[in-house]
Short mmCIF file of all heavy atoms in Angstrom, two decimals:
data_model
loop_
_atom_site.label_atom_id
_atom_site.label_comp_id
_atom_site.label_asym_id
_atom_site.label_seq_id
_atom_site.Cartn_x
_atom_site.Cartn_y
_atom_site.Cartn_z
N VAL A 369 -18.90 -13.77 -21.98
CA VAL A 369 -19.31 -13.31 -20.65
C VAL A 369 -19.90 -14.51 -19.88
O VAL A 369 -20.85 -15.13 -20.33
CB VAL A 369 -20.38 -12.19 -20.77
CG1 VAL A 369 -20.94 -11.85 -19.38
CG2 VAL A 369 -19.75 -10.95 -21.39
N ALA A 370 -19.31 -14.78 -18.72
CA ALA A 370 -19.78 -15.91 -17.91
C ALA A 370 -20.78 -15.47 -16.85
O ALA A 370 -21.72 -16.19 -16.52
CB ALA A 370 -18.58 -16.60 -17.23
N ALA A 371 -20.57 -14.28 -16.30
CA ALA A 371 -21.46 -13.76 -15.24
C ALA A 371 -21.35 -12.26 -15.19
O ALA A 371 -20.33 -11.68 -15.56
CB ALA A 371 -21.11 -14.38 -13.90
N ILE A 372 -22.40 -11.64 -14.68
CA ILE A 372 -22.41 -10.17 -14.53
C ILE A 372 -23.24 -9.79 -13.34
O ILE A 372 -24.24 -10.44 -13.03
CB ILE A 372 -22.98 -9.51 -15.83
CG1 ILE A 372 -23.03 -7.97 -15.64
CG2 ILE A 372 -24.33 -10.06 -16.18
CD1 ILE A 372 -23.46 -7.23 -16.90
N THR A 373 -22.81 -8.74 -12.66
CA THR A 373 -23.60 -8.21 -11.53
C THR A 373 -23.46 -6.70 -11.50
O THR A 373 -22.40 -6.15 -11.85
CB THR A 373 -23.11 -8.79 -10.19
OG1 THR A 373 -23.86 -8.17 -9.11
CG2 THR A 373 -21.65 -8.50 -9.96
N PRO A 374 -24.53 -6.01 -11.16
CA PRO A 374 -24.36 -4.57 -10.88
C PRO A 374 -23.54 -4.43 -9.61
O PRO A 374 -23.56 -5.30 -8.72
CB PRO A 374 -25.80 -4.08 -10.67
CG PRO A 374 -26.56 -5.29 -10.26
CD PRO A 374 -25.91 -6.46 -10.95
N PHE A 375 -22.80 -3.36 -9.50
CA PHE A 375 -21.96 -3.13 -8.33
C PHE A 375 -21.95 -1.62 -8.07
O PHE A 375 -21.20 -0.89 -8.70
CB PHE A 375 -20.56 -3.68 -8.56
CG PHE A 375 -19.82 -4.08 -7.31
CD1 PHE A 375 -20.29 -5.14 -6.53
CD2 PHE A 375 -18.70 -3.39 -6.91
CE1 PHE A 375 -19.62 -5.52 -5.39
CE2 PHE A 375 -18.02 -3.75 -5.76
CZ PHE A 375 -18.47 -4.81 -5.00
N THR A 376 -22.84 -1.21 -7.17
CA THR A 376 -23.05 0.23 -6.97
C THR A 376 -22.62 0.63 -5.57
O THR A 376 -23.09 0.05 -4.57
CB THR A 376 -24.56 0.56 -7.16
OG1 THR A 376 -24.95 0.14 -8.47
CG2 THR A 376 -24.80 2.05 -7.00
N PHE A 377 -21.77 1.64 -5.51
CA PHE A 377 -21.30 2.14 -4.23
C PHE A 377 -22.41 2.95 -3.56
O PHE A 377 -22.97 3.86 -4.17
CB PHE A 377 -20.07 3.02 -4.46
CG PHE A 377 -19.49 3.62 -3.20
CD1 PHE A 377 -18.91 2.81 -2.22
CD2 PHE A 377 -19.51 5.00 -2.99
CE1 PHE A 377 -18.39 3.37 -1.07
CE2 PHE A 377 -18.98 5.54 -1.85
CZ PHE A 377 -18.41 4.73 -0.88
N PHE A 378 -22.69 2.63 -2.29
CA PHE A 378 -23.78 3.33 -1.60
C PHE A 378 -23.24 4.50 -0.78
O PHE A 378 -23.78 5.60 -0.82
CB PHE A 378 -24.51 2.35 -0.67
CG PHE A 378 -25.71 2.97 0.00
CD1 PHE A 378 -26.85 3.30 -0.71
CD2 PHE A 378 -25.68 3.23 1.37
CE1 PHE A 378 -27.94 3.91 -0.08
CE2 PHE A 378 -26.77 3.82 2.01
CZ PHE A 378 -27.92 4.16 1.28
N GLY A 379 -22.14 4.28 -0.03
CA GLY A 379 -21.50 5.38 0.69
C GLY A 379 -22.32 5.98 1.78
O GLY A 379 -22.30 7.20 2.01
N GLY A 380 -23.07 5.15 2.52
CA GLY A 380 -23.92 5.67 3.60
C GLY A 380 -23.15 5.83 4.91
O GLY A 380 -22.06 5.28 5.10
N LYS A 381 -23.74 6.60 5.80
CA LYS A 381 -23.17 6.79 7.13
C LYS A 381 -23.60 5.64 8.05
O LYS A 381 -24.72 5.16 7.95
CB LYS A 381 -23.62 8.12 7.73
CG LYS A 381 -22.78 9.32 7.28
CD LYS A 381 -23.15 10.53 8.12
CE LYS A 381 -22.22 11.69 7.80
NZ LYS A 381 -22.54 12.86 8.66
N PHE A 382 -22.72 5.29 8.95
CA PHE A 382 -23.07 4.25 9.91
C PHE A 382 -22.71 4.76 11.31
O PHE A 382 -21.56 5.14 11.57
CB PHE A 382 -22.28 2.97 9.60
CG PHE A 382 -22.51 1.86 10.61
CD1 PHE A 382 -23.75 1.24 10.68
CD2 PHE A 382 -21.49 1.46 11.44
CE1 PHE A 382 -23.98 0.25 11.61
CE2 PHE A 382 -21.72 0.42 12.37
CZ PHE A 382 -22.96 -0.17 12.45
N ARG A 383 -23.68 4.78 12.17
CA ARG A 383 -23.51 5.26 13.55
C ARG A 383 -22.84 6.64 13.59
O ARG A 383 -21.96 6.91 14.39
CB ARG A 383 -22.65 4.27 14.36
CG ARG A 383 -23.34 2.93 14.57
CD ARG A 383 -22.44 1.98 15.36
NE ARG A 383 -23.09 0.70 15.61
CZ ARG A 383 -22.48 -0.33 16.18
NH1 ARG A 383 -21.23 -0.22 16.57
NH2 ARG A 383 -23.13 -1.46 16.35
N ASN A 384 -23.18 7.48 12.66
CA ASN A 384 -22.69 8.87 12.62
C ASN A 384 -21.18 8.96 12.49
O ASN A 384 -20.58 9.97 12.86
CB ASN A 384 -23.14 9.62 13.89
CG ASN A 384 -24.64 9.76 13.93
OD1 ASN A 384 -25.28 10.00 12.92
ND2 ASN A 384 -25.22 9.60 15.12
N GLU A 385 -20.57 7.91 11.99
CA GLU A 385 -19.12 8.00 11.72
C GLU A 385 -18.89 8.89 10.51
O GLU A 385 -19.56 8.73 9.48
CB GLU A 385 -18.55 6.59 11.45
CG GLU A 385 -18.60 5.69 12.66
CD GLU A 385 -18.00 4.32 12.35
OE1 GLU A 385 -17.71 4.06 11.16
OE2 GLU A 385 -17.83 3.51 13.28
N ASP A 386 -17.95 9.80 10.61
CA ASP A 386 -17.68 10.69 9.47
C ASP A 386 -17.13 9.90 8.29
O ASP A 386 -17.47 10.15 7.15
CB ASP A 386 -16.66 11.76 9.90
CG ASP A 386 -17.26 12.72 10.90
OD1 ASP A 386 -18.49 12.90 10.87
OD2 ASP A 386 -16.49 13.27 11.72
N ILE A 387 -16.20 8.97 8.60
CA ILE A 387 -15.63 8.13 7.54
C ILE A 387 -15.84 6.68 7.96
O ILE A 387 -15.11 6.16 8.79
CB ILE A 387 -14.12 8.42 7.34
CG1 ILE A 387 -13.90 9.91 7.04
CG2 ILE A 387 -13.56 7.55 6.22
CD1 ILE A 387 -12.45 10.29 6.93
N PRO A 388 -16.83 6.03 7.38
CA PRO A 388 -17.08 4.62 7.73
C PRO A 388 -15.84 3.78 7.43
O PRO A 388 -15.13 4.01 6.45
CB PRO A 388 -18.25 4.23 6.84
CG PRO A 388 -18.91 5.51 6.48
CD PRO A 388 -17.84 6.52 6.41
N SER A 389 -15.59 2.80 8.26
CA SER A 389 -14.40 1.96 8.08
C SER A 389 -14.64 0.84 7.08
O SER A 389 -13.76 0.01 6.88
CB SER A 389 -13.99 1.34 9.42
OG SER A 389 -15.04 0.57 9.96
N PHE A 390 -15.80 0.81 6.46
CA PHE A 390 -16.10 -0.20 5.46
C PHE A 390 -16.89 0.40 4.31
O PHE A 390 -17.61 1.39 4.50
CB PHE A 390 -16.91 -1.36 6.08
CG PHE A 390 -18.17 -0.91 6.77
CD1 PHE A 390 -19.35 -0.77 6.05
CD2 PHE A 390 -18.19 -0.65 8.13
CE1 PHE A 390 -20.51 -0.34 6.67
CE2 PHE A 390 -19.34 -0.22 8.77
CZ PHE A 390 -20.52 -0.07 8.06
N ALA A 391 -16.68 -0.16 3.14
CA ALA A 391 -17.43 0.30 1.98
C ALA A 391 -18.73 -0.51 1.84
O ALA A 391 -18.82 -1.62 2.35
CB ALA A 391 -16.60 0.15 0.72
N GLN A 392 -19.72 0.08 1.17
CA GLN A 392 -21.02 -0.59 1.02
C GLN A 392 -21.37 -0.64 -0.45
O GLN A 392 -21.33 0.39 -1.12
CB GLN A 392 -22.08 0.19 1.80
CG GLN A 392 -21.69 0.50 3.25
CD GLN A 392 -21.82 1.99 3.54
OE1 GLN A 392 -22.65 2.68 2.96
NE2 GLN A 392 -21.02 2.47 4.49
N PHE A 393 -21.71 -1.84 -0.91
CA PHE A 393 -22.04 -2.00 -2.32
C PHE A 393 -23.33 -2.79 -2.50
O PHE A 393 -23.61 -3.74 -1.77
CB PHE A 393 -20.91 -2.76 -3.05
CG PHE A 393 -19.60 -2.02 -3.08
CD1 PHE A 393 -18.62 -2.25 -2.15
CD2 PHE A 393 -19.38 -1.04 -4.07
CE1 PHE A 393 -17.41 -1.56 -2.19
CE2 PHE A 393 -18.17 -0.35 -4.11
CZ PHE A 393 -17.19 -0.62 -3.17
N ALA A 394 -24.08 -2.37 -3.50
CA ALA A 394 -25.30 -3.09 -3.88
C ALA A 394 -24.97 -3.97 -5.07
O ALA A 394 -24.34 -3.52 -6.02
CB ALA A 394 -26.41 -2.12 -4.23
N MET A 395 -25.39 -5.23 -5.03
CA MET A 395 -25.09 -6.16 -6.12
C MET A 395 -26.17 -7.22 -6.23
O MET A 395 -27.14 -7.23 -5.45
CB MET A 395 -23.73 -6.83 -5.88
CG MET A 395 -23.67 -7.72 -4.68
SD MET A 395 -22.14 -8.68 -4.59
CE MET A 395 -22.28 -9.69 -6.06
N ASP A 396 -26.02 -8.09 -7.19
CA ASP A 396 -26.92 -9.25 -7.35
C ASP A 396 -26.38 -10.39 -6.50
O ASP A 396 -25.32 -10.94 -6.83
CB ASP A 396 -26.98 -9.62 -8.82
CG ASP A 396 -27.93 -10.79 -9.07
OD1 ASP A 396 -28.41 -11.39 -8.09
OD2 ASP A 396 -28.17 -11.11 -10.25
N PRO A 397 -27.04 -10.77 -5.43
CA PRO A 397 -26.47 -11.79 -4.55
C PRO A 397 -26.27 -13.14 -5.22
O PRO A 397 -25.38 -13.91 -4.85
CB PRO A 397 -27.49 -11.87 -3.39
CG PRO A 397 -28.75 -11.32 -3.97
CD PRO A 397 -28.34 -10.27 -4.95
N ILE A 398 -27.10 -13.43 -6.21
CA ILE A 398 -26.96 -14.72 -6.91
C ILE A 398 -25.62 -14.83 -7.62
O ILE A 398 -25.07 -15.92 -7.79
CB ILE A 398 -28.14 -14.90 -7.90
CG1 ILE A 398 -29.47 -14.95 -7.14
CG2 ILE A 398 -27.97 -16.17 -8.72
CD1 ILE A 398 -30.68 -15.03 -8.05
N GLN A 399 -25.07 -13.71 -8.00
CA GLN A 399 -23.83 -13.71 -8.76
C GLN A 399 -22.58 -13.54 -7.89
O GLN A 399 -21.49 -13.40 -8.42
CB GLN A 399 -23.86 -12.57 -9.80
CG GLN A 399 -24.98 -12.67 -10.81
CD GLN A 399 -24.88 -13.92 -11.66
OE1 GLN A 399 -23.80 -14.49 -11.84
NE2 GLN A 399 -26.01 -14.40 -12.18
N LEU A 400 -22.74 -13.58 -6.56
CA LEU A 400 -21.57 -13.36 -5.70
C LEU A 400 -20.47 -14.35 -6.00
O LEU A 400 -19.34 -13.97 -6.29
CB LEU A 400 -21.99 -13.47 -4.22
CG LEU A 400 -20.81 -13.43 -3.23
CD1 LEU A 400 -20.21 -12.03 -3.18
CD2 LEU A 400 -21.24 -13.88 -1.85
N THR A 401 -20.77 -15.63 -5.92
CA THR A 401 -19.71 -16.62 -6.10
C THR A 401 -19.33 -16.80 -7.57
O THR A 401 -18.26 -17.32 -7.86
CB THR A 401 -20.18 -17.98 -5.54
OG1 THR A 401 -21.45 -18.32 -6.13
CG2 THR A 401 -20.34 -17.90 -4.03
N ASN A 402 -20.21 -16.35 -8.48
CA ASN A 402 -19.86 -16.45 -9.90
C ASN A 402 -18.85 -15.38 -10.31
O ASN A 402 -17.98 -15.65 -11.14
CB ASN A 402 -21.13 -16.33 -10.74
CG ASN A 402 -22.10 -17.48 -10.54
OD1 ASN A 402 -21.66 -18.59 -10.22
ND2 ASN A 402 -23.37 -17.22 -10.65
N VAL A 403 -19.01 -14.20 -9.77
CA VAL A 403 -18.11 -13.10 -10.14
C VAL A 403 -16.94 -12.98 -9.16
O VAL A 403 -15.80 -12.79 -9.58
CB VAL A 403 -18.89 -11.78 -10.22
CG1 VAL A 403 -17.97 -10.62 -10.53
CG2 VAL A 403 -20.02 -11.85 -11.23
N PHE A 404 -17.23 -13.11 -7.88
CA PHE A 404 -16.18 -12.99 -6.86
C PHE A 404 -15.99 -14.36 -6.23
O PHE A 404 -16.41 -14.64 -5.09
CB PHE A 404 -16.57 -11.95 -5.82
CG PHE A 404 -16.86 -10.59 -6.39
CD1 PHE A 404 -18.14 -10.17 -6.62
CD2 PHE A 404 -15.80 -9.76 -6.76
CE1 PHE A 404 -18.40 -8.92 -7.18
CE2 PHE A 404 -16.05 -8.51 -7.33
CZ PHE A 404 -17.35 -8.08 -7.54
N GLY A 405 -15.37 -15.25 -6.98
CA GLY A 405 -15.23 -16.64 -6.55
C GLY A 405 -14.40 -16.85 -5.32
O GLY A 405 -14.50 -17.90 -4.66
N GLU A 406 -13.55 -15.86 -4.97
CA GLU A 406 -12.70 -16.03 -3.80
C GLU A 406 -13.44 -15.82 -2.49
O GLU A 406 -12.95 -16.12 -1.41
CB GLU A 406 -11.52 -15.08 -3.89
CG GLU A 406 -11.85 -13.58 -3.74
CD GLU A 406 -12.19 -12.96 -5.10
OE1 GLU A 406 -12.68 -13.68 -5.98
OE2 GLU A 406 -11.96 -11.74 -5.25
N ALA A 407 -14.67 -15.25 -2.55
CA ALA A 407 -15.46 -15.01 -1.34
C ALA A 407 -15.94 -16.33 -0.75
O ALA A 407 -16.58 -17.13 -1.44
CB ALA A 407 -16.65 -14.11 -1.67
#
Side-chain angles (χ1 to χ4, degrees):
V369 172
I372 178 175
T373 177
F375 206 66
T376 303
F377 179 66
F378 184 70
K381 276 190 173 183
F382 177 67
R383 293 179 179 175
N384 296 320
E385 293 180 352
D386 292 333
I387 303 176
S389 60
F390 55 86
Q392 310 127 29
F393 295 97
M395 64 171 297
D396 181 351
I398 297 176
Q399 300 298 336
L400 173 71
T401 53
N402 295 330
V403 178
F404 303 99
E406 68 272 29

